[in-house]
Amino acid sequence: MAVFDTPEEAFGALRPVCVQLTKTQTVENVEHLQAQLQAVSDSALQELQQYILFPLRFTLKTPGPKRERLIQSVVECLTFVLSSTCVKEQVLLQELFSEISACLYSPKSQKPAAVSEELKLAVIQGLSTLMHSAYGDILLAFYEPSILPRLGFAVSLLLDLAEQEKSKQIKIAALKCLQVLLFQCDCQDHPRSLDELEQKQLGDLFASFLPGISMALARVITGDFKQGHGIIVSSLKTFYKTVSFIMADEQLERISKVQPKPAVEHRVAELMVHREAKWVKNTSDKLTILIKKIIECVSGHPHWKVRLALIELVEALLLKCSQSLVGSAGPLLKALVGLVNDESPEVQAQCSKVLRHFADQKVVVGNRAFADILSENLHSLATSLPRLMSSQDDQGKFSTLSLLLGYLKLLGPRVNFVLNSVTHLQRLSKALIQVLELDVTDIKVVEERCWNSGPLGASETAATQPRSPMQRRYFRFFTDERLFLLLQQVCQLLGFYGDVYLLIDHFMELYRESVVYRKQAAMILNELVAGAAGLEVENLHENHIKTSTEELREIVTSILEEYTSQENWYLTTCIESEEVGEELTMKQSGLQAITSGAHTCQVTSFPAFSKPSPTICSMNSNIWQICIQLEGIGRFAYALGKDFRLLLMTALYPVLEKAGDQTLLISQAATSAMMDICHTCGYYSLQHLINQNSDYLVNGISLNLRHLSLHPHTPKVLEVMLWNSDASLLPLVADVVQDVLATLDQFYDKRAASFVGVLHALLAALEEQSDPPKVDESDTGPDVEPPLPVQIQIATDVMERCIHMLSDKNLKIRLKVLDVLNLCVVVLQSHKNQLLPLAHRAWPPLVHRLTNDDPLVVLRAFKVLRTLGGKCGDFLRSRFCKDILPKLAGSLVTQAPVSARAGPVYSHTLAFKLQLAVLQGLGPLCERLDLGDSDLNKVADACLIYLSAKQPMKLQEAARRVFLHLMKVDPDSTWFLLNELYCPEQLTPPHPSLHPVQLRGTMGQGNPYAANVLCLLQELQ
Amino acid sequence: MEKMTAPPPNMAASPLPPPDPCFVLRGAQSAVHALHFFGGAQGQVHPLLLSGSLSGLVHIWSLQTRRAVATLDGHGGQCVTWLQTLPQGRQLLSQGRDLKLCLWDLAEGRNTVVDSVPLESMGFCRSSILAGGQERWMLAMPGRGNDEVQILEMPSKTSVCTLKPEADAKPGMPMCLELWQADSSPRPLLLAGYEDGSVALWDVSERKVCSRVACHTEPVMGFDFDSQKARGVSGSAEKALAVWSLDEQQALQMCRTHELTNPGIADVKIRPDRKILATAGWDHRVRVFHWRTMKPLAVLSFHSATIHCVAFATDGLLAAGSGDQRISIWSLYPISTDSSTPLLGHTEGGELPEVPGPWSLHFLHKAGFLS
C-alpha cells in the first residue's frame, strides 16, 4: 500500500533524498532513494519520473572513476523506476538506452568491461526493463536508421555476454534481452503484431546485424554441451526467430531492386543493408553452412528440450523461408525426419504435429523442390542403407532407420517413385533382409519342449487381451530392441503407402529364393500386410487411398498358401521325433525341407567347446521360421478383422497343428496366433474358436488321415481339438473317429503312440459329457433294438482297440492305454451289455500288466481295476481273487525278507518299486471290491510283514495304508489281527465273571511291529 | 456306420496320393438322397448347394463358408428324393416321400412353402420340370397308376395329361424322368426310365411313346440326357452303364454298354459342359467317365456308404451325397479358372487330355478298368 498517493505528497518525501543523492553519490544514498520509492504510488511516480531519474542519471554521467557497487545500485534503482512507469519521450528512451548500455563499456577494449557479474546482470535487466517501459509508438520510432550504431553496440554487447560469460544466469539474461531488442519478446507489454511496413522497417534495420547475430549464436549453440540446455534452447529460438524474420519470403518479395536513398548521415548509411537478390543469395549460402553445423550438433543433443527447439527451428525456417533458404531445405527436412522416432514422447509428438502440419499445408508434396529433395534423400539413403546397416553400431542404425522412417512418413504415396526403381527397391530390401537376420545359435530354442496334453493355456482371457506380445527374438546385427520396432514401422509404412502388390511380390520372391532370406522376408511380409491394412500407421496424407479389404484378402490368401505349403510348414524341428520312421518317404520325395545344407550357421560369438552343431542351428532356424509364420497369421487376422473368418477354413487347421507341437516356442506362437484370431474374429476363447470351427478342422483331419504318411501330425490335430472343445461336437467327429480307428487298425505298429493320444482326448471328452442324450425310441419298432448312443458306440470301439494295445512293447503306450481303458470303463458304466464282454476280453492282458510289468504300469492297472470294480464288481471279485491275488500276495511274501534286509540303495531297485506299487494298489481295491473274509485275510497276511520296523519306511507306510482300508471293510477282524501281532495293553474283561483274554501279540520292547500297530490301533479307536 | 468294403488303397503300388475331395460337408444328420446346385450363374460368385436328407430336411449350404446357412423342414420327416430350382425367381421344388412336392420361396432369405402338389405314387421316381424364362412351366411326376406319368401345367397345377404305356408294354413303374425340348421343335418331350430296365421317349402333346429301348435287365435307377448330342446314359442295379442315342426320327437306340466292377448305380449326371459324367455307386464310389468316349477317368473313393446322388455345378464342381451322411465336393478337370466365363461355348470343341491327371492310371487299374 503506497503511503504517498499524490505527486505532491510524494514530492515532499522524495525531494530531500534526491537532493542528498545529487550532492553525495553514495550507495547508501541510492538505497535511501529506492527505499523511499517503495512508498510512492505508481501514478505519482509517473508524474515525478523525470525528477527522480535526474539524480540517478546524474550519478552515471558524472565523470571520473566510480565504484562498481554504486553503478550497480543506480542501475537497479533506475530499473525499479522504469518498471513502474512509462517512457513517453523518444529522446529520453534513446538517452537512457545509451546511458545504461554504456555502463558495461570499457573504453580500453572491444569487449565488455571486466566488471562484477552483479553489475552485468543489473545492466541487462535495466535494458530489458527500459524497452518494456517505452510506449508502443515511441518504441517503433526508436528503431530508425539513426539508432543503428547504438543498437549495434548493445546487440554486440549482449552477444558477447551470451558467448563469453561463465554465469548461466547472465547468459540467459543476455539472450532474453537480445530477444527483447529484436522484437522477439513474447510478453504482453510488447506490441503484438506489426504491419507490413513496420516489419520491413525492422527487417531492414536488423539485416545489418544478421551476420553477427547468426554467427555468434551458432557458436553458442555448437559450443560445449555442458553449458546447459537452457542456453542452447534460448539461442536456437533467437537464431530462428531472427533468421526467419529477416529472411522471410514474404518480406523479401517486396524489396525493391534499387535501394532508396537513406535519410541519414553517411556514417550510418554505410551500416545499412539492402536485402536485394544478391544479398539474399549470399546470406543464404552462409546461413546454410551455419544451419548444417547447428543441425549436426543439435539433432543428437542429449536433452529433449533442445531437440524440441530444433523442430521449432525447422518448422519456422521451412514455413517462412522456403524460397530464401531453399539450399537448407535438405538438411532441415532430414533433421525433422530424423526426430520422428525420437525417444522423447514430447519430441515425437511435436515432430508428428509438424509433419502433419506440413502435409496439411502441402509444404512438401505441394512444393516440387521439397519433394524432389526428399525423394533424392531417400534415394541416396536407400543406396547407402546396406552399407550403413552393416557398419553402424546400434545407435547409428537407430538414427539411420529413424531417418528412413521419417522420409517414408513425409513422402507418403510419393514413396512409389523410389520403389518403382528396381535398383532402389533391391537396395532397400537387401538392407532390410540383412539387418533382420536372426541369431539362431541359441540352443534353448530347440531344447524347450512341452509335453503336456490337455487344454491350451490362457484361453479365458482371449477376448479381453489386446494383441499378444511378440516372442523375444535375437538378431545377429543388433541388440537394441527399439531397432526392431523401427524396422517394423518402416515395413508397415512401406505396406501402407507403397504399391503393396509390388512389395509383396518382391519379398515373396526373396522368401522363395533362399532359406537364408526366408525368415526375414516373412517378418517383412507380415508387417507389410499389417501396414497395408493401416494397423498402427499414422497417416499424414489425407487423400491416400488404403488397400481395399478385397485386395487385402487376396494378398493374405496367397501368403497363407505359401506359408502353410508342405515345404514351408513341415520343417524338421527336432531329432527324436517319434514319427521318424514314416517320414522317410517324404524326404525321398523331396517335400521335407531340411535346410541344414543351405543354411549357414553363424556361431562366431560362441566359444569353441559350446559350438552348436549345424543341425541344431538349422532346426533352430526352422523353429523361428514357423514361429514367424504363425505370428504372421495372427497379424493377418488383425489386418482383415472379421473378414478373416472366411480364411479360417484353411488357416485354422495348420495353426492348431502347431499348437500341438512339442517345441515350446512353436506351440506358444500358435497359441497366441489363435488368440489373435479369437480377438479379431469375435471368439471369446480358444475353446469357442475351436468349437465354432470344428467343421473346418474335422474336414482337414478327415482328408489328411487318408494320407497319413504325408500328414503324420493329423492325429495330433484331432487330439488338440478334442482337448479344447466340448462334447457338443461329437456328432461331427463321429465319422472321423471311425476313420481314426480304421487307420489305427492299419498302423498299430508305427503310429500307436500318436493315436493313443487321440483316443485319450476323445474318451476324456466323452467322459465329460456326463448326460448322454436320450435316444428317440418312437422311430424304432418293438423288435428293433434302439441304436446305441454315439458316444457308447465310440467307447466300445475304442475299448476294443485298447485290448490289443495293452501288450504294446512301448511302456509309454501301455501307460496311456491303461488311462484310456479306464475312461472307457467310466463311459460304458451304464451299458453293461457292452462293457462286460469287453472287460472279459481285456482281462488276460490286464492280469499280465498287474503281475508282470513295470511298477508304473502296475499302479495304473490297479487304477483300472478299481474303476472296473466300481462298475462290475461281482464279475471282477472272483476273477481277481482267482487270477491275481494269489500271485501278488505270493510275491509280497517272498520279497519281504529281501527288503527287510536291504540297505538304502534298495529303494532304487525295480523290486522295491514293485512292492510299493502292489501295496499301494491293494488297499483301495480291496475296499472297492468288497472282498470276502478269506480273501481279506490273504491280503492282510501278505501285508502284515510289511508293518515291521525293519522294512523300508515307504513300504511300512504303504502297508499301514492297506490296513486302513481293511479296517473300513472289516474293523473287528482287523483289530484282532493287529492285536495278534502286537498287543499294547492287558485286556481287562468288562465283567469279572468273564475270562481274561490273552492275545498272541507280545508286549515286549523288541517287537518290530509295535510302532505301526500302535499307530493303526489308534486309528481304530 | 458301415465299414468300407473295399480294401484300403495300396500305397506301395503308387507313390501318388489318390484324389481327395476339396472338402466335405458334414451336418446333414442323416443319409443324403438329393443334391442340387443353385445360383452362381446370376452374378453370384458363390453358388449354393441344396441337399435333401433321409430325415426329410433340406439343407442349404454356402460353398463360400462351407456351412449350412438354412434348413428347410417341409416333408414331415420323410426322405427328400429330388430337388430342383426354377430358372426365374428364387424358388425351389422339393419332392418327399411324404407324397408331397413343395414349392419354396427362397428370395431375400425367406424359406417358406408357397405351394404344394400332392403325389399319388409311393415310388422312388424323381420328378422333372421343363421351364424356360416364362411364367408357366411344366412338371412331370409319377402318376396315380402304377405305370403312369402325370404332366401338370404350373404354377396353376392344371393337369395336362397322363402318360400311360400301352396295355401290352408292361414296363413297370417309372423310375426316373426328364422333360426336354429339342432345339428344332417346340414340342415337349419326356424321357422316362422304367422298372423293367427300358428307357422310353414320350411325345407329351400326343401322349404317345415315340420309341423305347431296353437298356438294362434291372430297373433304371438314374439317367442323364445330352440333348445337343442326342445321347443319354443310364445306370441301374446291374453291373453296367448303358449309353443310348436318339436319331432324327426320334428313335432310341442302344449305343453300347459299359461294364462296371461292382453292381448298382443310383444316379448319373453329365457335367454341364458335356465333357465328363459321374455315377453314384452302391459300392461307395463315384466313377468319372469321359462322356464322348466313355473312357473311365477316375474312381473317387471317400464315402463309407452307398452314394445316393451326384450333382454338377455350372463351374464344374462335383458333389456326391451318401448314406454316410456326408456330402463330398470334388474339383476335377476344372472347366475354367475364371468361373465367370460362360461355360458352354468356352470349352466347346476342346479335348480332355488322353490320360488326365497323374493319378488316373493307378485308379483305372485299381478299379479294374485296365485289367
Side-chain angles (χ1 to χ4, degrees):
Chain A
M1 201 48 199
V3 179
F4 308 110
D5 277 337
T6 62
E8 292 73 23
E9 288 168 346
F11 183 76
L14 289 173
R15 210 179 83 96
V17 250
C18 283
V19 171
Q20 181 63 30
L21 179 59
T22 317
K23 279 186 188 154
T24 335
Q25 292 139 13
T26 62
V27 175
E28 292 72 34
N29 285 339
V30 178
E31 280 170 354
H32 204 181
L33 172 61
Q34 185 151 5
Q36 284 292 331
L37 289 176
Q38 309 283 344
V40 179
S41 75
D42 284 359
S43 57
L45 209 53
Q46 182 68 51
E47 289 286 317
L48 300 174
Q49 187 195 45
Q50 300 258 18
Y51 181 81
I52 302 162
L53 286 178
F54 176 79
L56 294 168
R57 295 176 62 191
F58 181 74
T59 311
L60 289 180
K61 275 191 258 185
T62 312
K66 290 179 285 277
R67 281 173 304 127
E68 268 177 45
R69 185 72 190 82
L70 175 65
I71 301 177
Q72 185 194 334
S73 59
V74 170
V75 173
E76 279 167 1
C77 191
L78 261 176
T79 306
F80 176 80
V81 175
L82 292 172
S83 69
S84 313
T85 58
C86 286
V87 176
K88 294 178 178 174
E89 286 163 42
Q90 185 158 0
V91 183
L92 180 62
L93 177 60
Q94 285 176 354
E95 283 176 7
L96 280 173
F97 186 81
S98 306
E99 285 158 16
I100 297 176
S101 0
C103 291
L104 292 185
Y105 178 64
S106 148
K108 287 165 208 148
S109 77
Q110 295 296 315
K111 295 196 168 175
V115 294
S116 74
E117 295 191 340
E118 287 79 8
L119 177 55
K120 289 174 184 164
L121 213 54
V123 170
I124 296 169
Q125 201 56 54
L127 274 179
S128 179
T129 311
L130 172 66
M131 298 314 279
H132 278 104
S133 75
Y135 256 31
D137 43 348
I138 298 283
L139 187 62
L140 273 175
F142 172 78
Y143 288 96
E144 62 181 10
S146 64
I147 199 72
L148 257 183
R150 272 179 276 182
L151 187 59
F153 171 70
V155 166
S156 60
L157 190 72
L158 290 169
L159 284 172
D160 253 349
L161 288 172
E163 200 178 341
Q164 307 293 343
E165 273 309 309
K166 289 221 164 48
S167 151
K168 263 188 204 178
Q169 206 188 355
I170 295 179
K171 281 167 172 268
I172 298 268
L175 287 165
K176 268 261 161 63
C177 187
L178 189 62
Q179 288 171 1
V180 174
L181 286 190
L182 296 174
F183 255 80
Q184 293 165 9
C185 181
D186 32 53
C187 72
Q188 298 244 320
D189 301 332
H190 255 73
R192 263 293 153 95
S193 54
L194 303 166
D195 63 27
E196 273 175 25
L197 211 70
E198 291 161 348
Q199 281 185 12
K200 188 182 166 297
Q201 176 203 335
L202 287 173
D204 284 341
L205 204 64
F206 294 160
S208 304
F209 311 138
L210 185 59
I213 294 176
S214 56
M215 288 202 302
L217 289 177
R219 280 195 299 272
V220 173
I221 294 165
T222 58
D224 194 355
F225 267 23
K226 279 177 243 147
Q227 66 185 316
H229 70 272
I231 290 155
I232 301 182
V233 169
S234 189
S235 305
L236 277 169
K237 285 192 182 197
T238 315
F239 181 89
Y240 79 73
K241 282 185 179 167
T242 312
V243 171
S244 67
F245 184 72
I246 299 167
M247 300 294 282
D249 292 336
E250 224 177 44
Q251 278 194 44
L252 296 177
E253 269 169 23
R254 279 189 277 274
I255 302 286
S256 59
K257 286 218 169 80
V258 189
Q259 185 172 18
K261 193 92 181 124
V264 284
E265 53 179 304
H266 180 65
R267 195 174 58 91
V268 175
E270 267 191 338
L271 294 175
M272 297 279 292
V273 159
H274 180 53
R275 292 182 287 169
E276 39 67 53
K278 203 172 153 204
W279 179 87
V280 170
K281 172 81 182 63
N282 238 323
T283 311
S284 163
D285 288 349
K286 283 176 187 138
L287 281 174
T288 299
I289 297 170
L290 292 179
I291 288 170
K292 269 190 191 158
K293 263 195 185 161
I294 289 173
I295 288 171
E296 234 169 70
C297 184
V298 162
S299 53
H301 196 280
H303 202 286
W304 65 272
K305 281 191 176 163
V306 174
R307 303 196 299 275
L308 195 67
L310 180 62
I311 294 176
E312 286 174 29
L313 178 142
V314 173
E315 184 182 21
L317 295 187
L318 283 180
L319 281 178
K320 290 192 182 154
C321 315
S322 65
Q323 282 158 39
S324 60
L325 288 180
V326 73
S328 306
L332 286 170
L333 283 171
K334 187 174 161 183
L336 181 64
V337 158
L339 291 172
V340 97
N341 222 34
D342 199 88
E343 58 194 21
S344 141
E346 286 90 347
V347 174
Q348 236 184 67
Q350 181 61 26
C351 197
S352 302
K353 205 176 116 194
V354 172
L355 284 175
R356 184 174 287 280
H357 183 203
F358 279 12
D360 287 348
Q361 303 284 306
K362 307 235 180 325
V363 169
V364 173
V365 184
N367 182 333
R368 263 200 63 88
F370 277 13
D372 289 348
I373 288 166
L374 270 181
S375 304
E376 220 164 86
N377 282 2
L378 182 54
H379 263 115
S380 67
L381 183 58
T383 310
S384 54
L385 204 54
R387 181 178 52 78
L388 293 174
M389 286 301 104
S390 57
S391 60
Q392 286 179 319
D393 61 1
D394 276 15
Q395 190 52 46
K397 285 194 186 95
F398 185 81
S399 32
T400 305
L401 290 170
S402 295
L403 197 60
L404 176 61
L405 187 67
Y407 285 146
L408 296 177
K409 275 196 180 175
L410 211 50
L411 274 172
R414 291 185 69 125
V415 69
N416 280 317
F417 290 121
V418 178
L419 298 181
N420 282 333
S421 147
V422 180
T423 43
H424 284 98
L425 177 56
Q426 274 171 352
R427 287 271 178 168
L428 194 63
S429 65
K430 188 181 166 198
L432 290 174
I433 293 265
Q434 180 188 316
V435 74
L436 278 170
E437 184 173 334
L438 287 172
D439 178 359
V440 291
T441 48
D442 186 4
I443 191 149
K444 259 198 305 199
V445 168
V446 180
E447 279 178 342
E448 283 183 324
R449 329 287 283 147
C450 59
W451 296 105
N452 301 346
S453 51
L456 298 166
S459 48
E460 298 314 315
T461 50
T464 51
Q465 224 182 38
R467 201 160 68 74
S468 25
M470 194 175 286
Q471 287 169 323
R472 178 89 172 91
R473 54 193 60 153
Y474 300 90
F475 294 89
R476 225 188 118 200
F477 293 112
F478 64 88
T479 47
D480 189 343
E481 264 185 272
R482 292 177 311 156
L483 276 179
F484 181 59
L485 293 178
L486 258 182
L487 286 161
Q488 276 187 305
Q489 289 181 46
V490 164
C491 297
Q492 286 166 6
L493 273 186
L494 281 173
F496 188 69
Y497 290 122
D499 177 345
V500 71
Y501 282 107
L502 172 81
L503 288 164
I504 298 276
D505 274 358
H506 181 80
F507 284 101
M508 225 29 165
E509 229 161 75
L510 288 173
Y511 176 91
R512 291 193 199 103
E513 191 176 308
S514 160
V515 69
V516 181
Y517 303 150
R518 197 158 296 148
K519 295 183 293 298
Q520 301 94 300
M523 277 189 255
I524 295 169
L525 284 167
N526 295 349
E527 299 308 325
L528 283 175
V529 170
L535 297 182
E536 293 154 43
V537 175
E538 183 207 14
N539 184 12
L540 297 175
H541 303 267
E542 267 173 26
N543 44 9
H544 172 60
I545 300 156
K546 272 204 310 185
T547 315
S548 77
T549 322
E550 211 43 52
E551 289 170 321
L552 207 56
R553 203 167 66 209
E554 219 171 87
I555 288 168
V556 166
T557 308
S558 71
I559 301 180
L560 265 181
E561 208 170 282
E562 192 73 36
Y563 277 2
T564 56
S565 68
Q566 189 82 33
E567 66 269 26
N568 292 322
W569 199 248
Y570 302 100
L571 306 170
T572 312
T573 55
C574 59
I575 308 169
E576 74 281 35
S577 159
E578 56 165 27
E579 303 97 359
V580 167
E582 193 95 7
E583 253 100 312
L584 283 174
T585 48
M586 257 198 316
K587 282 170 193 160
Q588 280 160 1
S589 62
L591 286 170
Q592 185 89 343
I594 297 173
T595 55
S596 56
H599 194 271
T600 46
C601 192
Q602 276 77 29
V603 284
T604 41
S605 60
F606 271 71
F609 61 86
S610 67
K611 185 172 169 173
S613 70
T615 44
I616 295 279
C617 282
S618 72
M619 287 193 292
N620 188 329
S621 162
N622 288 343
I623 290 171
W624 277 120
Q625 191 191 323
I626 294 170
C627 288
I628 290 165
Q629 290 171 176
L630 281 165
E631 183 191 289
I633 294 177
R635 300 289 271 160
F636 299 160
Y638 270 92
L640 288 180
K642 283 246 189 313
D643 267 14
F644 193 78
R645 283 181 175 214
L646 277 177
L647 300 186
L648 284 178
M649 64 181 78
T650 47
L652 188 56
Y653 180 94
V655 177
L656 197 64
E657 192 173 29
K658 294 301 177 194
D661 200 284
Q662 287 174 356
T663 304
L664 183 67
L665 223 49
I666 293 180
S667 152
Q668 282 173 344
T671 309
S672 64
M674 281 169 49
M675 303 281 276
D676 289 345
I677 295 172
C678 285
H679 198 244
T680 61
C681 294
Y683 299 104
Y684 46 78
S685 67
L686 292 185
Q687 273 77 358
H688 190 218
L689 170 68
I690 292 173
N691 261 332
Q692 295 291 303
N693 294 286
S694 47
D695 50 348
Y696 294 156
L697 292 170
V698 165
N699 190 50
I701 292 166
S702 96
L703 293 182
N704 284 344
L705 272 179
R706 288 156 58 86
H707 316 290
L708 199 59
S709 56
L710 277 176
H711 306 284
H713 302 291
T714 313
K716 194 74 198 175
V717 180
L718 180 56
E719 187 185 333
V720 177
M721 182 181 125
L722 287 167
W723 279 123
N724 291 284
S725 54
D726 55 49
S728 67
L729 63 87
L730 272 181
L732 202 65
V733 296
D735 69 278
V736 177
V737 169
Q738 291 308 320
D739 292 347
V740 165
L741 294 175
T743 322
L744 176 61
D745 292 345
Q746 284 178 53
F747 298 103
Y748 267 125
D749 39 350
K750 290 178 194 153
R751 304 219 165 266
S754 50
F755 278 105
V756 172
V758 175
L759 299 183
H760 192 203
L762 178 64
L763 265 293
L766 290 179
E767 189 208 6
E768 241 176 56
Q769 194 190 28
S770 51
D771 208 16
K774 286 272 178 276
V775 182
D776 188 6
E777 285 174 36
S778 59
D779 280 359
T780 51
D783 316 331
V784 190
E785 225 176 89
L788 288 172
V790 64
Q791 72 271 27
I792 298 305
Q793 186 57 54
I794 291 174
T796 314
D797 292 341
V798 171
M799 189 156 166
E800 183 120 7
R801 268 68 177 192
C802 288
I803 295 168
H804 292 293
M805 291 193 290
L806 268 177
S807 316
D808 197 281
K809 290 191 291 287
N810 184 328
L811 169 69
K812 268 191 200 162
I813 294 183
R814 291 200 302 278
L815 286 172
K816 260 267 166 71
V817 168
L818 283 167
D819 283 340
V820 180
L821 191 65
N822 195 48
L823 288 169
C824 285
V825 175
V826 175
V827 174
L828 290 174
Q829 55 183 310
S830 52
H831 287 74
K832 289 274 178 353
N833 289 346
Q834 276 69 40
L835 179 58
L836 288 179
L838 284 169
H840 176 77
R841 287 174 48 205
W843 187 249
L846 200 55
V847 170
H848 221 66
R849 300 285 75 75
L850 270 170
T851 55
N852 200 7
D853 206 331
D854 188 276
L856 285 172
V857 177
V858 171
L859 266 182
R860 210 69 68 96
F862 263 116
K863 193 176 157 204
V864 176
L865 277 190
R866 268 207 307 281
T867 314
L868 261 177
K871 315 305 169 196
C872 34
D874 297 338
F875 161 82
L876 200 64
R877 194 178 308 120
S878 61
R879 290 281 188 113
F880 174 74
C881 298
K882 186 168 133 281
D883 298 339
I884 297 175
L885 188 54
K887 284 187 191 169
L888 294 182
S891 81
L892 279 180
V893 171
T894 46
Q895 203 57 33
V898 182
S899 54
R901 265 182 277 119
V905 192
Y906 184 72
S907 64
H908 295 288
T909 63
L910 189 65
F912 170 82
K913 288 175 185 159
L914 272 172
Q915 280 170 299
L916 188 62
V918 172
L919 285 173
Q920 284 172 340
L922 270 177
L925 186 65
C926 291
E927 192 186 336
R928 174 61 62 84
L929 288 181
D930 202 11
L931 293 188
D933 287 349
S934 72
D935 292 317
L936 278 181
N937 282 340
K938 263 187 219 161
V939 174
D941 285 344
C943 297
L944 273 178
I945 7 174
Y946 287 90
L947 291 177
S948 160
K950 288 175 190 159
Q951 291 289 342
M953 261 332 264
K954 280 201 168 168
L955 296 184
Q956 293 182 46
E957 271 171 37
R960 277 208 307 271
R961 229 166 284 138
V962 174
F963 281 97
L964 288 178
H965 283 285
L966 294 181
M967 281 173 195
K968 288 187 193 154
V969 185
D970 189 348
D972 294 343
S973 69
T974 312
W975 180 88
F976 182 74
L977 211 65
L978 290 172
N979 271 301
E980 287 267 282
L981 206 57
Y982 170 74
C983 190
E985 55 191 296
Q986 193 67 50
L987 298 166
T988 30
H991 195 271
S993 64
L994 292 169
H995 282 290
V997 180
Q998 183 62 52
L999 292 171
R1000 255 191 297 162
T1002 51
M1003 285 177 49
Q1005 284 290 313
N1007 188 327
Y1009 302 102
N1012 284 318
V1013 171
L1014 212 58
C1015 169
L1016 286 168
L1017 286 177
Q1018 268 167 4
E1019 286 288 328
L1020 257 181
Q1021 286 162 0
Chain B
M1 189 167 294
E2 286 179 71
K3 288 261 155 55
M4 295 236 300
T5 51
N10 181 359
M11 295 298 288
S14 164
L16 294 159
D20 278 328
C22 298
F23 54 93
V24 176
L25 301 175
R26 289 176 171 77
Q29 291 163 6
S30 64
V32 179
H33 280 260
L35 284 172
H36 178 71
F37 280 101
F38 171 42
Q42 301 134 345
Q44 275 179 291
V45 187
H46 301 283
L48 299 171
L49 176 65
L50 306 166
S51 74
S53 72
L54 180 65
S55 60
L57 298 181
V58 174
H59 289 91
I60 303 178
W61 307 86
S62 156
L63 296 180
Q64 189 192 22
T65 63
R66 302 175 183 178
R67 285 179 175 156
V69 289
T71 305
L72 314 180
D73 185 2
H75 290 284
Q78 299 296 305
C79 184
V80 175
T81 56
W82 178 68
L83 293 167
Q84 175 70 51
T85 47
L86 296 178
Q88 79 272 44
R90 291 174 70 90
Q91 287 196 312
L92 166 72
L93 264 175
S94 65
Q95 178 179 354
R97 300 210 64 203
D98 58 343
L99 300 182
K100 213 165 69 178
L101 265 165
C102 292
L103 184 63
W104 303 80
D105 177 13
L106 302 182
E108 291 154 12
R110 287 190 291 271
N111 39 34
T112 45
V113 178
V114 287
D115 203 354
S116 69
V117 183
L119 275 164
E120 288 173 279
S121 160
M122 193 52 192
F124 291 89
C125 183
R126 293 164 174 175
S127 304
S128 175
I129 60 163
L130 181 61
Q134 300 94 345
E135 184 74 15
R136 292 188 304 171
W137 44 282
M138 186 179 276
L139 171 70
M141 60 184 207
R144 176 188 318 222
N146 218 6
D147 50 3
E148 289 174 2
V149 176
Q150 170 100 44
I151 308 286
L152 295 181
E153 189 191 278
M154 297 294 284
S156 62
K157 297 194 268 186
T158 329
S159 175
V160 175
C161 59
T162 302
L163 306 179
K164 189 174 168 58
E166 288 149 37
D168 56 341
K170 295 210 172 64
M173 285 192 292
M175 300 298 289
C176 38
L177 304 170
E178 181 155 324
L179 274 171
W180 62 286
Q181 221 165 0
D183 288 342
S184 51
S185 142
R187 300 168 79 90
L189 300 167
L190 174 77
L191 277 164
Y194 286 96
E195 199 178 356
D196 70 348
S198 68
V199 173
L201 178 72
W202 288 86
D203 184 319
V204 175
S205 357
E206 304 209 349
R207 300 176 203 183
K208 68 161 215 247
V209 174
C210 303
S211 156
R212 174 190 303 277
V213 63
C215 300
H216 303 277
T217 53
E218 301 273 347
V220 180
M221 300 303 295
F223 70 74
D224 202 0
F225 183 66
D226 172 358
S227 60
Q228 284 201 5
K229 292 199 174 92
R231 231 151 57 98
V233 56
S234 57
S236 78
E238 64 184 8
K239 246 173 98 167
L241 284 176
V243 180
W244 29 269
S245 67
L246 190 63
D247 66 15
E248 275 147 26
Q249 283 73 47
Q250 300 205 325
L252 285 167
Q253 285 171 339
M254 269 304 287
C255 298
R256 57 192 288 190
T257 57
H258 189 98
E259 280 296 307
L260 299 171
T261 341
N262 299 311
I265 293 297
D267 196 9
V268 182
K269 285 281 157 51
I270 302 169
R271 199 164 75 174
D273 67 344
R274 299 184 308 281
K275 292 289 171 198
I276 57 174
L277 68 99
T279 64
W282 293 358
D283 63 353
H284 311 179
R285 281 141 186 220
V286 173
R287 286 187 165 73
V288 180
F289 297 88
H290 191 290
W291 173 219
R292 190 170 57 80
T293 63
M294 284 308 283
K295 188 197 286 276
L297 298 178
V299 178
L300 310 179
S301 55
F302 170 79
H303 289 285
S304 54
T306 301
I307 301 188
H308 292 299
C309 47
V310 286
F312 280 107
T314 43
D315 65 358
L317 223 48
L318 167 65
S322 160
D324 66 9
Q325 311 186 359
R326 300 183 284 191
I327 301 165
S328 55
I329 309 288
W330 309 74
S331 176
L332 306 164
Y333 316 110
I335 291 177
S336 157
T337 47
D338 182 7
S339 60
S340 63
T341 316
L343 204 83
L344 305 172
H346 179 76
T347 48
E348 192 61 40
E351 278 296 317
L352 285 168
E354 270 303 285
V355 183
W359 34 265
S360 55
L361 268 181
H362 168 59
F363 276 85
L364 300 184
H365 178 76
K366 270 196 37 56
F369 287 124
L370 300 183
S371 50

